[in-house]
């Protein structure tokens, strides 16, 4: 079999790239290790930057997002028993973010791909990348039958644990990593959110986040030990701990109820350089991971897709290589700014083993300065809504 681009991974990166390429007549095949149901069963990001929304509009996959997504013009920081609102729109000339779950983004993109009759092979096993320095091809097995697809390019959109980054020549890859000494315990419940907007809480017991998926479905997180287990957290224990980390008034607005999703995610910062090896490109989580504190993971995947799509469009329409040659450098310039912002938000809001009383006061002083300084609030706001492409 032959196609123009093999995309490894049917997450947001792979699906969005595939949809944009379909829009200019470039043929792709997506190879996905898991089942369609498993991909859709993962609960991840919740906040979209305006640039991500615009890309989904360009891909023709934003109708439900505009119908059901929640535009947010601010967030709140909770510390010192109070909420402090950061007016994102006022500080960034009117920019806002949209609350719309990654699961829904993935669903919308899958529906678009299927409606266009584009090929996705689910439960593709043993995906292997070959000769991406010359004439690339990909092999995989499906229902015990081996297959080979020859192509012009390979887009490695297969996340942190995927095969693509591991296929890059080890001597050519430089990685940067920081593990955080805690995780996030996340809960989904069919209850109205505690606040109209997101609340990021710094508390001496640990970080908490009040988010949502709609006006009747809430998403909450509490910081937990790295080696904690979901089984150790009953719903009652979760609701109690969440409310202890919130200002009294916000805690009183938390509607409790049975959780229908509960999971613990590890937190790390990770970047692999470069993101381009011959005819192989690394995209999204395959190349970088950020702690979700800055709501950047999914949005960074979208910016990688934007840069790679522009380069591939120039290649197929004008036979120009400049865009694909510049991909890695352009993408990494934006990646590192988001990695810094996510690291900064995480260090400012979480309780580390060595934070102690002095560290807690320093965090509170930084937060107090932040919410009372126009310059400091503007810096947070312009990073949160998304830096220019
Ligand atoms: P994904 O990991 O989403 O998709 C990769 C796909 O490749 C998967 O479907 C996988 O099954 C497939 N794959 C892997 N190996 C393969 C192989 N060998 N062959 C074929 N297919 C293969 N971001 C936020 O902004 N906010 C959050 O709150 C947030 N929470 C997160 C919680 C968790 C537990 C995780 C893991 C991530 C979270 N993220 C969050 C980040 C997340 O949203 C990612 O940034 C986003 O999924 C990136 O999308 P992709 O690059 O498509 O990678
Ligand atoms: C979420 O709703 O899942 C979410 C929102 C903002 C974040 C992280 C996660 O920073």
């Amino acid at each position: 079999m032959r196609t123009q681009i093999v995309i490894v991974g049917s997450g947001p990166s792979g699906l969005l790239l595939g949809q944009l390429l379909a829009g200019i007549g470039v043929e792709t095949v997506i190879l996905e290790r898991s089942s369609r149901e498993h991909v859709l069963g993962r609960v991840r990001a919740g906040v979209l930057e305006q640039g991500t929304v615009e890309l989904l509009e360009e891909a023709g996959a934003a109708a439900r997002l505009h119908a059901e997504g929640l535009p947010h013009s601010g967030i709140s920081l909770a510390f010192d028993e109070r909420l402090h609102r950061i007016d994102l729109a006022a500080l960034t000339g009117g920019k806002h973010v949209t609350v719309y779950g990654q699961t829904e983004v993935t669903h919308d993109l899958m529906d678009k791909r299927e409606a266009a009759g584009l090929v996705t092979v689910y439960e593709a096993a043993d995906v292997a990348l070959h000769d991406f320095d010359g004439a690339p091809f990909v092999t995989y097995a499906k229902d015990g039958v081996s297959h080979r697809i020859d192509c012009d390019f390979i887009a490695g959109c297969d996340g942190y644990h995927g095969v693509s980054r591991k296929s890059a020549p080890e001597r050519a890859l430089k990685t940067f990593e920081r593990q955080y000494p805690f995780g996030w315990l996340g809960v989904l419940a069919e209850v109205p959110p505690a606040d109209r907007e997101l609340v990021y809480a710094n508390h001496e017991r640990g970080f908490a986040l009040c988010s949502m998926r709609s006006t009747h479905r809430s998403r909450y997180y509490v910081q937990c030990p790295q080696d904690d287990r979901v089984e150790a957290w009953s719903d009652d224990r979760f609701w109690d701990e969440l409310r202890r980390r919130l200002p009294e008034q916000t805690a009183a607005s938390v509607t409790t109820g049975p959780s229908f999703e509960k999971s613990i995610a590890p937190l790390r910062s990770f970047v692999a350089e470069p993101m381009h090896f011959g005819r192989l490109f690394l995209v999204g989580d395959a190349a970088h991971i950020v702690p979700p504190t800055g709501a950047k993971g999914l949005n960074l995947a979208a910016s990688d897709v934007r840069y790679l799509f522009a380069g591939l469009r120039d290649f197929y329409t004008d036979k120009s290589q400049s865009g694909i040659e510049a991909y890695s450098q352009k993408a990494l310039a934006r990646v590192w700014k988001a990695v810094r912002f996510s690291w900064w938000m995480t260090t400012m809001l979480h309780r580390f083993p060595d934070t102690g009383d002095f560290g807690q006061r320093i965090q509170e002083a930084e937060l107090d300065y932040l919410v009372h300084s126009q310059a400091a609030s503007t810096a947070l706001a312009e990073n949160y809504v998304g830096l220019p492409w």
Side-chain angles (χ1 to χ4, degrees), residues 9 11-13 32-34 42 44-45 102 157-158 162 285 297-298:
S13 297
E32 167 55 52
R33 173 172 65 182
S34 306
R42 288 193 296 246
R44 293 203 177 150
Q102 173 175 323
C157 302
D158 47 348
D285 276 20
L298 175 55

Side-chain angles (χ1 to χ4, degrees), residues 18-78:
Q19 208 48 44
L20 291 167
L21 289 167
I24 58 169
V26 174
E27 190 190 68
T28 61
V29 171
I30 294 183
L31 300 178
E32 167 55 52
R33 173 172 65 182
S34 306
S35 68
R36 184 180 189 278
E37 295 66 35
H38 182 83
V39 175
L40 287 173
R42 288 193 296 246
V43 180
R44 293 203 177 150
V47 172
L48 305 182
E49 296 172 5
Q50 223 159 301
T52 303
V53 172
E54 285 159 11
L55 262 185
L56 288 165
E57 287 168 348
E58 189 176 339
R64 202 158 66 97
L65 158 59
H66 285 309
E68 299 173 16
L70 302 172
H72 279 202
S73 58
I75 59 171
S76 286
L77 301 177

